[in-house]
Amino acid sequence: MSDKKFYITTPIYYPSEKLHIGHAYCTVATDAMARYKRMQGYDVMFLTGTDEHGQKIEDKAKEAGVTPQAYVDGIVDGPKGVRDLWKLMNISNDRFIRTTDDYHVAAIQKIFKAMYDKGDIYKGTYKGKYCKPCESFWTESQLVDGKCPDCGREVVDAEEEAYFFRASKYADRICDLLTNTDFLQPRSRVNEMVNNFINCEGGLQDLCVSRTTFSWGVPVDFDPKHVVYVWLDALFNYMTALGYQNDKYNDLDKFWPADIHVVGKEIVRFHAIYWPAFLMSLDLPLPKKVYGHGWLNFNGEKMSKSKGNVIDPYMLSERYGVDALRFFLLRTFPFGSDGNFTNELLIQTINTDLANDLGNLVSRSTAMSDRYFGGDLTTGGKHEPLDDELKALADEVVGKYETAMEQMQFSVALGEAFRLISRANKYIDETTPWTLAKDEANKPRLLSVMKNLCEAIRVAAILISPVMPSTAQSIFDTLGVPEAGRTFEAVSYESGDDCFWKTTTAAPLFPRIDMEKEIDELNKILDDAKKEAEKAQKKAEKAAEKAEKKADKAEEESGIISIDDFMKVELRAAKVLEAVPVEKSDKLLKIQVDMGTEHRQIVSGIRAWYSPEDLIGKTIVVVANLKPAKLRGEMSNGMLLAADIGDAASVIFLPDEVPAGQRIH
Ligand code: MSP
């Protein structure tokens, strides 16, 4: 094993939904880098995984009616899940971590405790806006129109006990790391951090690192009503997966610190500010680099499940082949910037770069080798200066390719490889082998031309191999390249006429795609997805409505009514004008009242405790909008209020100055 080591990671993805092309983009890029480093003789550790705790997962599982663990198991290990996707896409990760793995959970508890014992985690009060029905805390900036961003209801000021990490203590060191070193790349990301998240003069606020409002997380073992904040839990995956604070693995000394964490731009702040601060707190070495790549949009819009424009890497890999998709992703979009994915661009790239340039070069060259030499390109030949041009370009391209790869500029690196491919195609046009073949005397020259073509293709295949591993292998096989000639050590162009090849012809590497027909098909798939999304949206709305109704009903049943409900009851002051017993009843009194704008008759069962004289002239409270009822043949247009005291009733009297008809709340 080499002593050159390289540790590279992707973010660990949330298994709250199936992964999409954005996740695949990051993983493919990281994979290409891992393969490139292996090719250069490094002992590589490539880690990916899933970040499985937190409120969102808990909610999703509830929606699906399963436990959070069962929910994430399905998305990670289930059919067409995360592991299947990476297998399909030829991702060469050496390890896969799940934050629900026992060894990781136990390690996080130890890490939290160590930071607490050190005094870098302390107990405090978290103040925020709280939505009662959602049981969620929000910051002011998360609110939408001052209301809960999830359900749109009112929020209230609330506080809860929480643990905080003393990020403030490390602000200066973090600022130094960001501004005076190459830790964070590309450089433009440094400005984003310094302008938006860390103020190098004003410092950094302490970070809340525990939650009590949900339970799907790593419990703080010395205070179990708290779970560890999901980012603290997640970031340490990069070390627990090597054996930090656990016995499951034993590679920490060998691979830590990481050479590079590859992450999307939106999570750079966690990796470039809090992650180094956590490590500083534990006196651990910092990773060497964080690379914040750009985002892929689709047709100029952010991909989102509710819009139904989330692109499925499974579907694309199955349709066009994994290598074509991997190539498209890394060739088309400069890694550090945002990119706009369109189906037209995808098909155009496959047709132009892969079917035309690369595919044709390989099939034309091997077909001619077969036709003119039966695939036997033996020793001998006739050298011409044009061959040196091809070699010179190959040498130049290899150098530039390496520089670009070191800087994660995959599109530039692939551009270089394709410069060689184009040059080789041009070399065919310049040498016109079909003309040479007409005259036996030109045979030695024709042999040289064929060998130079094979050599250019071999070099190009080495360069594209980290991005298109299967394609590179097929090309090597077709050219009959021995193992030693497939490695990066052998990347330099050999023009010697002594080398020989035994080629075969193979099926086209990348069949041309009928653009119009294919776009129609893809649009259909997209339309279906949009309809699905609309349906799901409606279903979710209905479910929310139902849940709200259920909540209202529960409230009703629990005896609580809203102010609106109460206001429906129209209580008014009334002056008693007259009261007489109802015939044939020893309970009822028939009472005439003045309601301000009208006189009314009400019948009340208070005869046992009140005689007419007790009432006449008094001011009472009447429910004015009660449905009229007939009692013992007499109409009652309202009800007076009285307290039930044991086996008697006590009528509520108002002071005389309250005018008849006055509304009472
Ligand atoms: N779980 C956290 C990461 C924890 S790492 C210690 C997380 N997960 S995620 O599932 O949301 O994945 C985020 C990453 O997926 C992004 O940082 C990026 O690499 C990739 N992408 C997700 N959507 C993307 C695009 N639309 N475009 C490009 N990449 C994006 O954040």
Side-chain angles (χ1 to χ4, degrees):
M1 270 283 154
S2 147
D3 55 352
K4 295 199 299 185
K5 312 222 166 32
F6 192 76
Y7 179 30
I8 185 166
T9 64
T10 71
I12 49 171
Y13 304 106
Y14 291 127
S16 47
E17 309 271 359
K18 293 235 141 148
L19 300 191
H20 60 61
I21 198 75
H23 305 108
Y25 177 53
C26 179
T27 308
V28 165
T30 310
D31 183 61
M33 194 62 190
R35 287 176 181 272
Y36 167 74
K37 285 288 171 181
R38 279 191 207 110
M39 177 166 100
Q40 288 202 319
Y42 281 80
D43 184 358
V44 171
M45 169 63 76
F46 167 18
L47 173 72
T48 189
T50 42
D51 181 1
E52 308 189 351
H53 292 126
Q55 170 113 53
K56 179 121 190 247
I57 303 268
E58 191 178 280
D59 291 350
K60 280 271 167 189
K62 205 184 274 174
E63 241 172 65
V66 295
T67 63
Q69 190 65 57
Y71 184 82
V72 293
D73 285 351
I75 297 218
V76 177
D77 286 333
K80 295 201 171 185
V82 179
R83 284 193 212 260
D84 276 1
L85 176 63
W86 297 154
K87 211 164 149 200
L88 172 72
M89 295 198 73
N90 217 346
I91 301 302
S92 64
N93 57 299
D94 300 286
R95 217 158 266 179
F96 189 102
I97 185 170
R98 301 181 57 180
T99 55
T100 53
D101 289 340
D102 291 346
Y103 74 92
H104 173 81
V105 171
I108 292 301
Q109 291 183 321
K110 287 189 202 152
I111 290 165
F112 195 93
K113 180 75 168 36
M115 287 161 92
Y116 179 76
D117 287 344
K118 210 182 156 184
D120 272 357
I121 286 181
Y122 61 91
K123 207 177 212 177
T125 312
Y126 180 82
K127 293 195 177 87
K129 302 284 176 188
Y130 189 67
C131 173
K132 278 190 198 155
C134 296
E135 292 180 24
S136 300
F137 267 97
W138 303 105
T139 60
E140 194 81 51
S141 62
Q142 287 173 316
L143 302 180
V144 177
D145 298 332
K147 305 230 166 85
C148 170
D150 268 2
C151 72
R153 285 187 251 214
E154 295 290 337
V155 290
V156 291
D157 286 317
E159 306 186 343
E160 68 167 354
E161 179 191 277
Y163 288 92
F164 285 83
F165 169 68
R166 242 177 254 290
S168 50
K169 189 169 151 190
Y170 301 100
D172 289 347
R173 284 176 67 191
I174 301 290
C175 269
D176 183 53
L177 180 71
L178 292 178
T179 52
N180 299 328
T181 74
D182 287 334
F183 173 74
L184 176 57
Q185 291 188 352
R187 190 73 199 171
S188 55
R189 301 276 175 234
V190 173
N191 304 334
E192 290 170 11
M193 287 306 106
V194 174
N195 293 339
N196 300 321
F197 300 110
I198 177 167
N199 175 343
C200 288
E201 276 83 53
L204 189 59
Q205 274 190 357
D206 289 354
L207 178 73
C208 181
V209 288
S210 78
R211 297 288 187 272
T212 52
T213 47
F214 62 89
S215 58
W216 181 239
V218 177
V220 174
D221 52 358
F222 55 90
D223 196 352
K225 74 171 193 282
H226 294 261
V227 294
V228 175
Y229 176 44
V230 71
W231 273 101
L232 195 150
D233 169 5
L235 285 162
F236 273 99
N237 91 87
Y238 300 131
M239 289 188 75
T240 60
L242 298 180
Y244 181 60
Q245 297 284 19
N246 68 83
D247 296 329
K248 165 111 175 151
Y249 296 111
N250 203 7
D251 305 297
L252 198 68
D253 292 344
K254 183 167 168 189
F255 286 113
W256 191 257
D259 289 272
I260 185 161
H261 294 311
V262 183
V263 302
K265 62 175 184 178
E266 85 293 359
I267 57 172
V268 162
R269 74 188 169 108
F270 297 103
H271 286 82
I273 296 176
Y274 297 114
W275 178 223
F278 292 157
L279 294 169
M280 285 171 188
S281 162
L282 294 170
D283 295 316
L284 292 164
L286 307 186
K288 293 180 200 152
K289 244 173 217 143
V290 169
Y291 191 96
H293 70 79
W295 265 48
L296 292 188
N297 293 322
F298 181 69
N299 290 341
E301 284 189 335
K302 199 175 159 190
M303 278 184 262
S304 91
K305 186 141 189 268
S306 60
K307 276 194 219 143
N309 66 352
V310 173
I311 302 302
D312 177 9
Y314 231 100
M315 179 271 287
L316 292 180
S317 297
E318 283 174 346
R319 258 186 124 73
Y320 308 114
V322 169
D323 276 7
L325 180 60
R326 289 172 59 114
F327 173 79
F328 168 69
L329 291 173
L330 297 191
R331 170 70 185 105
T332 314
F333 311 110
F335 197 49
S337 326
D338 289 351
N340 187 23
F341 188 117
T342 68
N343 289 333
E344 288 78 1
L345 202 52
L346 168 66
I347 292 165
Q348 189 193 317
T349 306
I350 295 176
N351 280 346
T352 310
D353 289 357
L354 299 182
N356 275 4
D357 293 357
L358 176 59
N360 274 346
L361 175 65
V362 175
S363 59
R364 281 164 91 197
S365 304
T366 51
M368 289 190 290
S369 162
D370 192 45
R371 193 174 318 134
Y372 306 137
F373 298 97
D376 259 325
L377 306 177
T378 50
T379 39
K382 183 170 176 284
H383 184 86
E384 278 192 12
L386 188 64
D387 307 347
D388 298 330
E389 262 186 46
L390 192 57
K391 175 180 163 44
L393 186 93
D395 290 347
E396 183 194 323
V397 154
V398 170
K400 290 193 168 160
Y401 167 92
E402 270 191 279
T403 310
M405 283 301 281
E406 291 299 331
Q407 296 167 352
M408 309 285 287
Q409 294 188 7
F410 305 103
S411 56
V412 175
L414 287 170
E416 288 300 318
F418 271 69
R419 216 146 62 84
L420 178 58
I421 289 164
S422 299
R423 185 66 189 82
N425 271 319
K426 192 169 156 217
Y427 179 84
I428 298 181
D429 299 340
E430 288 165 340
T431 53
T432 56
W434 47 92
T435 319
L436 293 173
K438 283 183 189 151
D439 186 347
E440 193 60 24
N442 290 330
K443 230 19 236 266
R445 178 60 195 148
L446 183 58
L447 183 60
S448 264
V449 166
M450 295 320 304
K451 290 203 287 190
N452 275 299
L453 279 173
C454 288
E455 181 62 357
I457 296 171
R458 184 189 68 86
V459 172
I462 294 175
L463 300 184
I464 62 170
S465 66
V467 177
M468 294 196 278
S470 316
T471 303
Q473 289 310 315
S474 321
I475 293 175
F476 293 140
D477 291 346
T478 313
L479 297 181
V481 181
E483 278 309 315
R486 303 179 180 203
T487 64
F488 200 72
E489 272 181 341
V491 76
S492 78
Y493 189 102
E494 291 290 335
S495 55
D497 292 326
D498 295 338
C499 60
F500 57 90
W501 306 80
K502 179 90 190 73
T503 70
T504 47
T505 40
L509 292 171
F510 300 97
R512 252 192 97 76
I513 301 167
D514 179 336
M515 170 78 97
E516 229 172 275
K517 208 171 126 220
E518 197 57 27
I519 292 293
D520 277 354
E521 301 258 328
L522 289 175
N523 283 343
K524 245 184 250 152
I525 294 176
L526 201 64
D527 280 350
D528 287 349
K530 279 195 177 143
K531 276 185 206 140
E532 261 327 289
E534 272 166 29
K535 247 200 242 160
Q537 180 86 13
K538 277 199 188 125
K539 202 171 146 200
E541 274 167 20
K542 263 200 190 140
E545 219 172 86
K546 213 168 139 194
E548 196 157 339
K549 270 196 190 140
K550 202 170 150 198
D552 287 350
K553 200 163 164 230
E555 264 180 12
E556 221 175 279
E557 277 165 6
S558 70
I560 296 167
I561 60 167
S562 69
I563 181 79
D564 292 343
D565 289 338
F566 173 71
M567 290 306 282
K568 284 188 205 144
V569 183
E570 196 183 322
L571 299 176
R572 292 195 183 273
K575 305 274 178 199
V576 179
L577 302 170
E578 201 186 306
V580 292
V582 173
E583 279 174 30
K584 290 183 269 164
S585 163
D586 48 7
K587 286 204 183 115
L588 299 177
L589 280 179
K590 188 165 73 176
I591 308 165
Q592 307 301 325
V593 293
D594 175 4
M595 302 278 297
T597 51
E598 58 174 328
H599 289 183
R600 280 194 193 186
Q601 167 171 300
I602 60 177
V603 177
S604 179
I606 54 172
R607 179 167 165 192
W609 307 288
Y610 290 90
S611 60
E613 303 77 71
D614 298 331
L615 299 170
I616 292 169
K618 295 271 175 58
T619 309
I620 59 172
V621 184
V622 170
V623 182
N625 58 344
L626 205 61
K627 202 165 150 197
K630 214 175 216 178
L631 301 172
R632 296 273 162 157
E634 294 289 348
M635 277 311 290
S636 180
N637 295 314
M639 185 176 93
L640 64 74
L641 296 193
D644 237 335
I645 42 171
D647 52 2
S650 173
V651 172
I652 297 173
F653 294 112
L654 293 172
D656 287 345
E657 60 269 26
V658 179
Q662 175 67 51
R663 178 101 197 235
I664 293 159
H665 336 267

